[in-house]
Amino acid sequence: MKRSSGVLMHVSSLWDEYSVGAFGAPARKWIDFLADMEFGIWQVLPFCLPDECNSPYKSFSAFSGNPYFIDLETLKNDGLLTADELETAKQRSPYLCEFDRLQNERLPLLAKAASRFTEWDKVDAFLKEQPQTAAFCRFMALKKANGDLPWTAWTVDTPDSEALALWQFTQYTFFTQWKALKSYANSRGISIIGDIPIYVALDSSDVWANPTQFQLDEQHRPRCVAGVPPDYFAKDGQLWGNPLYDWDRMEKDGFAWWKERMRFMTTLFDGVRIDHFRGLESYYSIPATEKTAKNGKWVKGPGMKLINALREVCGDKLLIAEDLGDITPEVDQLVKDSGCPGMRVLQFAFLGDPDSPHLPHNYPANCIAYTGTHDNNTLLGYVWELNDADRKQLMAYCGYSGEHWNRSYDTILRTMFQSHAGTVIIPVQDLLLYGADTRLNTPGTAEGNWRFRVTREQLATVDSAKFRRWNRLYRRNQK
């Protein structure tokens, strides 16, 4: 892995005029911004349809695209929306994703575009190439026909025809626009790293179309569900509630569903982060009747059998192992055996372990090092909230000797760029040195997450020359 660097920002956080980031001109300006600083990576979060809490880590399908990311200006230029219709869709604030408006207004607007669309032969060809996405469209149309009930309560087996056309149109448009944007990024020397949530939702086309691949009872109810035990983020653990895979059954067909999923992801991205990688070695199984994640147990996962199957379809594409949390020697060994770079997070480095793998001097070349992830506080918020002893240790470690520790951030960021880590990723909030009020997600909470957005004026305050200089000085601009 060549020395490189990049920025973590979800598409939703891009500036735009229509309540959320999208695949339009601002996204190209963002790519130009990265290229100007000689970053080589843009890391995004999952592209799938988000859940009712706006989380992209729980969705109606692992093979779906979020229709909110469709660029409305492109639809207008294609004659599918009018100037007046775009005017009514303009945002009221540029600083936060307007999820309430999006949930109420965006799909009806896209339905107008779908009603004017004529090139359905292209949609049919796309869906033939992506059968799981086609299944998702049918699933959503059946859900509409059944009053939006979970699929386990459906009684109507004929999909709503208008809803089917809408979802087929949005998925074709989403992936067509993304293909063009990714091509532009690659032409500017920017690789895109995507993200695979390890689990899927019970109420999803994934489980609906493949129920025997999951640990369900005769009524299609989960016997046990996914989560993680109590940890740094949550004292009661995290009860995710996703159905667990029946790994024995999946192994019998050569992990066909997972291979199809990875094939899909590697058509979208240049590399993929596998969320909760440790669940492939052992997964945390919580009885479905539990109210918290305290009383689960670890169960052996598929390990290298799955990794080898995925390598058959992704070839030499970069796979990143999100090996955070309760890590055992067995998990460490799986990461090594897989060849996937693991993750290191600076905010975990000063928790009392003097030999922490998250201390920059312990970073191996084959790792991706972050100041923080989408689940962490911002760097500024983290430093402000540290206790005095830990903050002094951080300052001493990074070589900051000034009297005012709130001026130490360049020293901390430079320590990351200097490190031996093959790749360094900085969340966009840390480029801007924004505080805890811009944190993207707080695990274990349902409200107030995923809303952060930047404006073009805010990005103009970034010292681009500084990051360009660091990328050159520490040889992180290698292509």
Side-chain angles (χ1 to χ4, degrees):
M1 185 169 60
K2 294 181 179 178
R3 282 178 69 81
S4 58
S5 63
V7 178
L8 169 63
M9 183 175 72
H10 197 29
V11 173
S12 61
S13 295
L14 282 165
W15 72 97
D16 205 306
E17 294 188 57
Y18 305 103
S19 301
V20 68
F23 295 153
R28 284 171 171 75
K29 294 292 185 183
W30 164 251
I31 289 165
D32 293 340
F33 175 73
L34 294 178
D36 177 64
M37 292 185 286
E38 300 188 15
F39 285 109
I41 294 170
W42 175 15
Q43 182 171 341
V44 297
L45 302 184
F47 274 5
C48 50
L49 194 70
D51 69 2
E52 65 278 2
C53 295
N54 307 307
S55 170
Y57 287 89
K58 189 177 179 182
S59 178
F60 286 131
S61 175
F63 297 83
S64 63
N66 185 348
Y68 299 162
F69 295 166
I70 292 172
D71 180 52
L72 300 183
E73 296 281 355
T74 300
L75 296 184
K76 173 181 170 291
N77 294 339
D78 291 341
L80 300 178
L81 291 175
T82 68
D84 287 343
E85 287 165 344
L86 258 63
E87 187 64 31
T88 63
K90 284 193 173 178
Q91 64 202 13
R92 300 187 177 98
S93 169
Y95 302 110
L96 296 173
C97 296
E98 297 177 332
F99 288 125
D100 289 343
R101 286 193 68 197
L102 290 166
Q103 290 164 4
N104 292 326
E105 300 173 15
R106 187 53 53 90
L107 285 180
L109 180 61
L110 292 173
K112 292 180 180 179
S115 70
R116 298 161 186 159
F117 185 73
T118 58
E119 298 179 290
W120 289 98
D121 55 326
K122 294 181 179 179
V123 176
D124 293 340
F126 163 74
L127 294 173
K128 190 172 292 185
E129 292 177 359
Q130 302 292 346
Q132 293 284 0
T133 305
F136 160 71
C137 295
R138 183 174 177 82
F139 173 86
M140 296 301 289
L142 282 167
K143 179 176 267 296
K144 179 69 178 297
N146 283 276
D148 291 324
L149 290 171
W151 68 268
T152 51
W154 289 355
T155 57
V156 178
D157 57 8
T158 301
D160 182 286
S161 58
E162 290 185 2
L164 182 60
L166 169 62
W167 284 105
Q168 290 175 337
F169 168 77
T170 60
Q171 296 307 290
Y172 166 77
T173 304
F174 176 99
F175 291 110
T176 299
Q177 289 191 3
W178 171 246
K179 182 179 180 180
L181 183 61
K182 180 181 178 295
S183 178
Y184 181 75
N186 293 162
S187 75
R188 294 302 320 271
I190 305 296
S191 297
I192 312 291
I193 292 178
D195 198 323
I196 289 185
I198 186 172
Y199 293 118
V200 298
L202 174 63
D203 190 22
S204 68
S205 63
D206 307 304
V207 182
W208 166 71
N210 309 277
T212 60
Q213 303 275 355
F214 298 85
Q215 297 181 30
L216 308 178
D217 64 18
E218 292 76 9
Q219 285 75 45
H220 295 133
R221 296 173 302 196
R223 294 187 176 92
C224 294
V225 296
V228 289
D231 62 8
Y232 171 83
F233 287 119
K235 63 182 178 64
D236 290 333
Q238 298 177 46
L239 182 64
W240 297 337
N242 308 76
L244 296 169
Y245 299 110
D246 187 334
W247 289 117
D248 291 338
R249 178 63 180 262
M250 286 188 156
E251 184 180 352
K252 289 179 181 177
D253 66 9
F255 302 101
W257 183 86
W258 264 95
K259 287 166 75 172
E260 190 171 2
R261 187 181 189 187
M262 183 58 73
R263 188 178 294 110
F264 173 79
M265 293 294 291
T266 52
T267 63
L268 297 178
F269 305 110
D270 301 300
V272 179
R273 187 192 85 127
I274 302 177
D275 185 55
H276 196 58
F277 186 90
R278 70 101 58 242
L280 304 184
E281 191 284 321
S282 292
Y283 60 92
Y284 197 61
S285 176
I286 308 163
T289 54
E290 291 289 328
K291 302 300 183 186
T292 74
K294 287 183 176 180
N295 297 318
K297 64 178 181 179
W298 292 104
V299 181
K300 211 68 175 172
M304 282 303 299
K305 294 177 182 177
L306 176 64
I307 299 299
N308 290 333
L310 298 182
R311 285 291 182 195
E312 293 176 16
V313 299
C314 72
D316 60 357
K317 287 280 183 98
L318 177 66
L319 298 183
I320 299 171
E322 189 270 282
D323 54 344
L324 305 175
D326 185 8
I327 302 304
T328 64
E330 291 80 7
V331 177
D332 282 336
Q333 190 61 50
L334 178 62
V335 175
K336 292 175 184 176
D337 292 344
S338 73
C340 300
M343 290 176 57
R344 301 293 183 269
V345 180
L346 182 69
Q347 292 189 31
F348 297 152
F350 300 94
L351 299 176
D353 179 5
D355 297 316
S356 170
H358 297 285
L359 286 164
H361 71 269
N362 285 328
Y363 293 168
N366 192 35
C367 83
I368 318 290
Y370 299 76
T371 49
T373 73
H374 64 275
D375 282 334
N376 288 103
N377 201 343
T378 67
L379 177 62
L380 188 153
Y382 162 74
V383 174
W384 272 80
E385 293 176 15
L386 278 175
N387 61 55
D388 287 341
D390 288 341
R391 189 185 300 115
K392 287 178 181 178
Q393 184 183 7
L394 171 63
M395 298 298 107
Y397 184 92
C398 294
Y400 181 74
S401 56
E403 295 182 8
H404 305 287
W405 55 260
N406 59 336
R407 299 176 185 173
S408 67
Y409 301 106
D410 269 10
T411 308
I412 298 170
L413 290 172
R414 188 165 181 156
T415 298
M416 297 293 287
F417 277 79
Q418 291 171 328
S419 75
H420 193 48
T423 298
V424 169
I425 302 289
I426 308 296
V428 67
Q429 293 95 321
D430 294 350
L431 282 188
L432 293 159
L433 287 181
Y434 280 178
D437 58 327
T438 65
R439 180 173 181 162
L440 190 61
N441 181 53
T442 303
T445 64
E447 302 295 331
N449 296 315
W450 314 109
R451 301 178 67 200
F452 170 72
R453 292 175 71 198
V454 299
T455 67
R456 191 170 183 181
E457 293 75 17
Q458 289 170 334
L459 284 183
T461 67
V462 173
D463 186 350
S464 297
K466 174 182 67 181
F467 288 103
R468 188 186 313 114
R469 183 171 63 251
W470 287 353
N471 277 319
R472 291 176 179 176
L473 184 61
Y474 301 115
R475 303 285 290 165
R476 293 202 176 275
N477 59 350
Q478 305 302 297
K479 304 298 182 186

